[in-house]
Amino acid sequence: MKTSIEHLPVELWISIFSYLEAHDLLQAFTNLNHYFNQLIASDYLLFHVRLGKTNHNPLEYAIHTYWSNSILNRIVSLQPIHQHKTSHIPEFLRWHCTKLNQLKFLKMKLRGREIPTICNILPQLHSLHHISIECVPNQMLLKTILCVDTIRICQLNFLPAVTSIIYESSQMSNIENLYIKYRDDSNNSILNFLLNHMPKLKKLEINSPESYFDSRDSPFAKPLFILLELRTIKIHWSLMYCDPKFFESLHQLMPNLQCFYLNIIYNYLTEDFFNNLVCHWWPTIEKIQQVDIFIKCRRPQITIDNNMQMNVDKFQSTLVAMNDKYNGIVKVIWMEKVFVGYRIIEISICKS
């Protein structure tokens, strides 16, 4: 009995095509035969599009003849071919945004001159659920992101801002998951602006390992907002100072927090740091259901005298004793090493 691939169930072909990028799919199967033309025309087939840079005129690239309305209104994902590189996505959106009725995921890297255009386009994408942007931020872009009420997941990769960010805005966002990475945010103006307008936030991830700052100026040190819905927070920071009220303020602002992940690089080891960790941070750690903390701190070996060494040993004993105190619910690991004249201490605290 002879069979052909056309005998496979339509549902299987739709599933197979969902793994292919739109250009590859259309080039491989368009006009292959009547059966595949019908499949490509099916409303059940949705397209994932990747755009890059070409040597052609970007307008010609954006309005290429195969971008028919029947294809445009079935695009659900749009992103660049190469991560962290600019593409023709802004031009594509400018020409076709009103036809992208099912676009749910959008990822792009923007130049400063493209931001006003994107700010006009985003409110027209009525199905947009997940947005990912890399750029130099400004007030206009942040306010526009907050105004798009369909966005639930927001990923922001920001270079240092060149204009000031003002906190005041009446717009409240429906964003539930926020991932933000930034190189520099003086006075945490960007983070404060976003968190102050995201009352429905459930998951927050902050990544700023390249910027050292004083935790007394962190967005959690001042009660500008209360995130009642927040359940999970992940922070990757570099600190110059350890504020004893950091954890206390954190839990006041996020009273229903269940999972807390913290990765800190502490630039200069002090005895106050360990005192804050044991005496001030620990009571709040006890209140959170799941905790995963990694702290790496250092100090020149020649500056550690006998008194300081005795205090460090005392804090080490206190922390390691938590393993027995909590009967395995809390696991503390303390590791030390000397590298190029520096004493490096790594502390891991896990609670589940």
Side-chain angles (χ1 to χ4, degrees), residues 64 111 115 123 149 160 193 199 205 210 218 242 265 287 321 327:
H64 202 278
R111 304 178 186 90
I115 289 179
D149 58 11
F193 177 84
E205 186 167 348
E210 302 172 10
S218 81
C242 171
I265 299 174
K287 299 176 184 178
N327 297 319

Side-chain angles (χ1 to χ4, degrees), residues 10-233:
V10 171
E11 295 81 5
L12 181 57
W13 278 115
I14 297 295
S15 178
I16 293 172
F17 286 168
S18 69
Y19 291 94
L20 299 179
E21 195 274 334
H23 293 83
D24 298 333
L25 171 60
L26 295 173
Q27 290 174 10
F29 291 94
T30 298
N31 296 326
L32 188 62
N33 59 35
H34 178 70
Y35 176 81
F36 283 106
N37 284 344
Q38 284 188 313
L39 274 179
I40 290 174
S42 169
D43 289 337
Y44 294 103
L45 179 60
L46 304 176
F47 296 107
H48 303 271
V49 176
R50 289 179 176 268
L51 296 180
K53 279 290 187 185
T54 70
N55 295 325
H56 302 296
N57 184 309
L59 298 184
E60 176 187 347
Y61 185 82
I63 59 174
H64 202 278
T65 53
Y66 58 63
W67 297 117
S68 64
N69 289 346
S70 64
I71 292 176
L72 290 169
N73 61 31
R74 286 183 286 145
I75 293 177
V76 294
S77 170
L78 180 60
Q79 58 184 308
I81 293 175
H82 303 291
Q83 190 176 12
H84 306 305
K85 290 189 176 182
T86 56
S87 65
H88 288 316
I89 288 178
E91 290 92 345
F92 183 90
L93 290 172
R94 184 159 64 90
W95 281 93
H96 303 304
C97 64
T98 58
K99 307 292 178 55
L100 300 174
N101 301 323
Q102 297 194 67
L103 184 65
K104 293 178 173 59
F105 174 76
L106 174 61
K107 181 177 183 179
M108 54 190 168
K109 180 176 181 178
L110 299 176
R111 304 178 186 90
R113 66 176 183 269
E114 295 169 334
I115 289 179
T117 299
I118 292 300
C119 288
N120 289 328
I121 290 170
L122 288 181
Q124 302 180 59
L125 303 176
H126 301 299
S127 297
L128 190 60
H129 179 83
H130 184 163
I131 189 169
S132 177
I133 295 179
E134 180 178 352
C135 68
V136 175
N138 62 25
Q139 185 91 16
M140 177 190 298
L141 178 64
L142 296 178
K143 291 183 69 174
T144 301
I145 292 173
L146 295 177
C147 289
V148 182
D149 58 11
T150 58
I151 296 178
R152 296 295 183 272
I153 303 173
C154 182
Q155 294 176 276
L156 304 173
N157 189 344
F158 284 159
L159 298 170
V162 295
T163 59
S164 59
I165 305 298
I166 303 172
Y167 294 170
E168 288 77 12
S169 174
S170 59
Q171 183 65 44
M172 290 297 170
S173 169
N174 290 324
I175 291 173
E176 297 177 356
N177 293 351
L178 172 65
Y179 169 88
I180 180 168
K181 180 177 181 179
Y182 54 86
R183 278 71 170 175
D184 181 34
D185 182 14
S186 59
N187 301 318
N188 291 285
S189 58
I190 294 174
L191 202 52
N192 277 323
F193 177 84
L194 292 172
L195 297 183
N196 200 34
H197 298 87
M198 293 184 177
K200 298 181 180 180
L201 196 64
K202 296 180 180 179
K203 183 176 181 180
L204 171 63
E205 186 167 348
I206 305 169
N207 193 336
S208 183
E210 302 172 10
S211 302
Y212 284 91
F213 69 94
D214 190 326
S215 68
R216 289 171 293 191
D217 294 327
S218 81
F220 310 120
K222 302 173 183 178
L224 298 178
F225 47 81
I226 296 180
L227 300 173
L228 295 175
E229 300 295 324
L230 193 69
R231 299 294 184 269
T232 301
I233 181 170

Side-chain angles (χ1 to χ4, degrees), residues 206 208-209 211-213 215 234-243 246-247 250 260-268 273 277 281 292-298 344-348:
I206 305 169
S208 183
S211 302
Y212 284 91
F213 69 94
S215 68
K234 296 183 178 182
I235 300 176
H236 186 184
W237 265 340
S238 299
L239 298 180
M240 292 185 296
Y241 173 81
C242 171
D243 192 332
F246 173 76
F247 264 71
L250 181 75
F260 183 69
Y261 305 89
L262 178 65
N263 189 320
I264 286 182
I265 299 174
Y266 190 43
N267 192 38
Y268 193 78
F273 169 78
L277 176 60
W281 290 18
D292 191 346
I293 297 175
F294 177 79
I295 301 167
K296 182 177 181 179
C297 46
R298 65 177 188 168
I344 299 174
I345 298 177
E346 296 179 352
I347 303 169
S348 173

